[in-house]
Amino acid sequence: MNHDDILFGILGNAFHCPVLGEFEFLENVLITINTDGEIDSLLKPDEYAVSDIMEVLERENRLVRLKEKQYLIPGLIDLHCHAPQWPQMGKGLDLPLYNWLANYTFPLEAKYQDLEFAKRVYDDLVQSTLSSGTTSAVYFSSIHLEPTRVLADTCLEKGQRAFVGKVCMDDVEQCPDYYRQSVEKSLYETEAFHQYVSTMSGNHGLISSVVTPRFIPSCTEGLLKELGQFATNNNCYVQTHCSESDWAREYSQQKYGETDISVYEKTGLLGRKTILAHSIFLTEQDVIKIQDYGASIAHCPLSNMYFANAAMETRELLNRGLHCGLGSDVAASVTPSMLRSCFDAVTHSRVREEGTSTKLAAGERGEAKTRISFLEAFWMATTGGGKALDKNIGVFRRGFSFDAVLVDANIQDCDLKIWQALDSASDILEKIISTTNRQNIIKVWVQGREVVCKQ
Ligand SMILES: [Zn+2]
């Protein structure tokens, strides 16, 4: 049989979660990847035993054999990351959101007009996120066009699937003089960036442009309407923040007498390709609208614990079948690791379920049955993220892009330890989610291309 269209094959153990709350252990599976970087086949031992494919791949040096205690997982998907805030990570988390933005974020984001600085930071960011297993990232850039191009170029060059947006903010009362643009300039640069991404050579769908109003307080209604119109006309992705904190929610109520979701709907910014970061304070009507439009929520658990003033209703949103994935929300996080986000999402839900006050009786402290499991969190960082982006990623399935992470539990001096006699497949996956360090991630592929190789 002719196997010329097979780029390479990987033989070993793999985990994925095609169904929410469940996992599949693909033991000794052979995954073949075609020249388009898509999964061509997943063959079980009894299937590849009767084919000549192993022999051909091995003879032509196109077979990657995983060792014992090495596991393949789907590439991780970060639905919300602020690229220019990378140097801010680990600073100022003791401040309220408003001061955090004013004291740290806006002065830093304004520096990216220095394109050498932008290149240095974005090189480091994209390398670090890839090394952490993030194969797809949804990035807010800064408000300027040129550094946003640098970010898109860097993602393309390093091979990360990226959804990149030039941030738009124009409200004179809310944005500092040195860090805002007029409606006209915001729109012009949004169009110019969209055009740039559509014509990037070698893109082949890896990089997408995203219409990015920062959030309701930083934008005038006129800007939101123009951006909504542009996104609708061009069928663009949209990303923004939604009802992140008491302050953000109250701002919309005072200015519009409405919720964030109502404002986004009226300005044409709510659609199937809209990614709403946070979405903490949602009304029943908001949830119905998000679901009706097929928009997606990026749950950012660690960030929420610092800035949201309340707990995310992750359990309820998952039960209702909304598109829901995870975001790191760098720099309101102390790591770009999406496995850490999975762990934080579980922790967040457990604190919510149990409650906190020792003055209350056990049954009155928390919100019963609101926890999420490790498998559900992992589903959000893989399958759920893929659904949110409406891309064939996040699961090992024929025809899906081969975006994958190779986790090695044989690394010395790390926390991921597998005890073959003690650990079931379920235990191993939970350990991978909970204890994988960056040094355990030894290879990463995006669209079949090896983008990280530490061996
Ligand atoms: Zn954010």
Side-chain angles (χ1 to χ4, degrees):
M1 210 175 140
N2 187 348
H3 299 298
D4 286 351
D5 57 335
I6 302 300
L7 193 62
F8 66 104
I10 297 190
L11 178 68
N13 293 328
F15 288 99
H16 67 166
C17 292
V19 175
L20 180 67
E22 298 175 16
F23 77 99
E24 269 182 12
F25 178 48
L26 306 168
E27 196 170 6
N28 278 320
V29 68
L30 174 66
I31 302 178
T32 62
I33 293 95
N34 67 25
T35 46
D36 291 329
E38 291 168 351
I39 295 171
D40 192 70
S41 63
L42 287 107
L43 302 171
K44 293 178 186 160
D46 58 339
E47 292 170 322
Y48 56 76
V50 295
S51 153
D52 65 346
I53 186 147
M54 287 275 277
E55 191 191 325
V56 172
L57 294 177
E58 195 128 51
R59 187 176 62 225
E60 298 177 359
N61 215 10
R62 285 189 279 153
L63 184 68
V64 179
R65 273 181 190 273
L66 304 192
K67 296 179 189 148
E68 211 178 319
K69 299 190 187 178
Q70 290 187 337
Y71 308 93
L72 206 61
I73 59 171
L76 301 162
I77 299 167
D78 185 347
L79 289 183
H80 185 59
C81 180
H82 293 269
Q85 294 176 22
W86 183 236
Q88 188 184 338
M89 195 168 71
K91 291 201 287 189
L93 281 176
D94 53 342
L95 294 174
L97 180 61
Y98 184 87
N99 306 78
W100 192 77
L101 291 170
N103 299 2
Y104 285 92
T105 308
F106 295 155
L108 174 61
E109 291 193 8
K111 290 187 196 302
Y112 285 78
Q113 286 186 89
D114 174 350
L115 298 184
E116 272 182 37
F117 175 69
K119 181 67 182 150
R120 202 146 44 90
V121 173
Y122 292 154
D123 263 347
D124 192 62
L125 165 74
V126 176
Q127 196 56 51
S128 300
T129 51
L130 281 172
S131 293
S132 304
T134 301
T135 51
S136 294
V138 182
Y139 288 122
F140 274 56
S141 177
S142 54
I143 66 170
H144 300 111
L145 173 62
E146 290 296 335
T148 307
R149 285 181 182 162
V150 171
L151 176 58
D153 289 345
T154 307
C155 295
L156 183 61
E157 177 193 311
K158 292 186 180 295
Q160 187 172 54
R161 188 184 307 286
F163 302 78
V164 180
K166 187 207 86 72
V167 170
C168 296
M169 44 199 279
D170 71 320
D171 193 296
V172 176
E173 281 175 25
Q174 290 296 321
C175 309
D177 295 347
Y178 65 87
Y179 198 58
R180 65 164 185 258
Q181 288 177 324
S182 64
V183 174
E184 294 70 27
K185 187 147 195 199
S186 287
L187 193 66
Y188 171 78
E189 294 200 346
T190 296
E191 286 179 12
F193 180 66
H194 182 69
Q195 187 61 27
Y196 180 74
V197 169
S198 357
T199 54
M200 277 169 104
S201 80
N203 186 353
H204 307 304
L206 201 67
I207 314 294
S208 305
S209 74
V210 186
V211 171
T212 308
R214 184 173 211 112
F215 64 162
I216 297 234
S218 64
C219 301
T220 60
E221 192 176 5
L223 177 61
L224 294 175
K225 278 183 179 162
E226 290 285 358
L227 293 174
Q229 187 74 53
F230 180 80
T232 308
N233 291 348
N234 293 279
N235 190 27
C236 282
Y237 284 97
V238 173
Q239 63 180 341
T240 189
H241 296 87
C242 174
S243 302
E244 176 174 2
S245 63
D246 279 319
W247 171 70
R249 172 178 62 164
E250 280 158 23
Y251 186 93
S252 299
Q253 283 300 336
Q254 279 182 7
K255 183 168 177 182
Y256 296 100
E258 294 182 74
T259 64
D260 284 14
I261 289 297
S262 285
V263 176
Y264 290 140
E265 184 191 29
K266 284 183 182 166
T267 51
L269 288 160
L270 195 61
R272 171 66 184 95
K273 294 171 87 173
T274 301
I275 296 155
L276 302 156
H278 308 296
S279 310
I280 300 290
F281 295 99
L282 299 177
T283 63
E284 174 61 19
Q285 204 55 36
D286 289 339
V287 175
I288 291 169
K289 281 181 184 170
I290 294 171
Q291 192 152 30
D292 283 353
Y293 281 92
S296 304
I297 292 172
H299 172 35
C300 309
L302 190 70
S303 167
N304 292 164
M305 286 187 266
Y306 283 85
F307 293 125
N309 315 119
M312 175 79 172
E313 296 191 339
T314 322
R315 172 77 278 147
E316 292 87 329
L317 298 172
L318 289 176
N319 286 352
R320 293 175 71 157
L322 268 78
H323 297 137
C324 202
L326 291 179
S328 65
D329 200 13
V330 162
S333 166
V334 291
T335 166
S337 165
M338 293 313 296
L339 291 174
R340 169 65 187 268
S341 276
C342 292
F343 192 82
D344 289 338
V346 175
T347 307
H348 187 73
S349 76
R350 295 291 289 267
V351 174
R352 179 183 175 216
E353 182 176 82
E354 298 291 350
T356 54
S357 174
T358 55
K359 306 287 186 294
L360 297 172
E364 295 164 14
R365 243 175 253 147
E367 298 183 77
K369 297 186 177 166
T370 55
R371 72 174 61 181
I372 64 164
S373 69
F374 286 98
L375 291 180
E376 287 170 323
F378 188 68
W379 178 92
M380 290 170 77
T382 53
T383 319
K387 285 178 189 287
L389 294 166
D390 203 16
K391 295 276 185 191
N392 287 338
I393 52 175
V395 181
F396 296 127
R397 182 177 296 155
R398 187 181 155 84
F400 273 44
S401 298
F402 184 69
D403 290 10
V405 176
L406 178 53
V407 177
D408 189 351
N410 301 297
I411 304 290
Q412 295 293 310
D413 195 25
C414 71
D415 300 330
L416 176 59
K417 306 285 183 200
I418 305 298
W419 305 91
Q420 301 283 31
L422 301 175
D423 295 333
S424 65
S426 164
D427 294 333
I428 293 171
L429 180 54
E430 186 180 333
K431 283 187 168 188
I432 290 172
I433 297 165
S434 310
T435 66
T436 295
N437 304 131
R438 200 182 295 178
Q439 64 262 38
N440 298 112
I441 294 174
I442 59 167
K443 279 183 195 285
V444 177
W445 294 265
V446 178
Q447 196 72 36
R449 172 182 165 193
E450 189 179 279
V451 292
V452 172
C453 178
K454 299 182 194 163
Q455 275 196 338

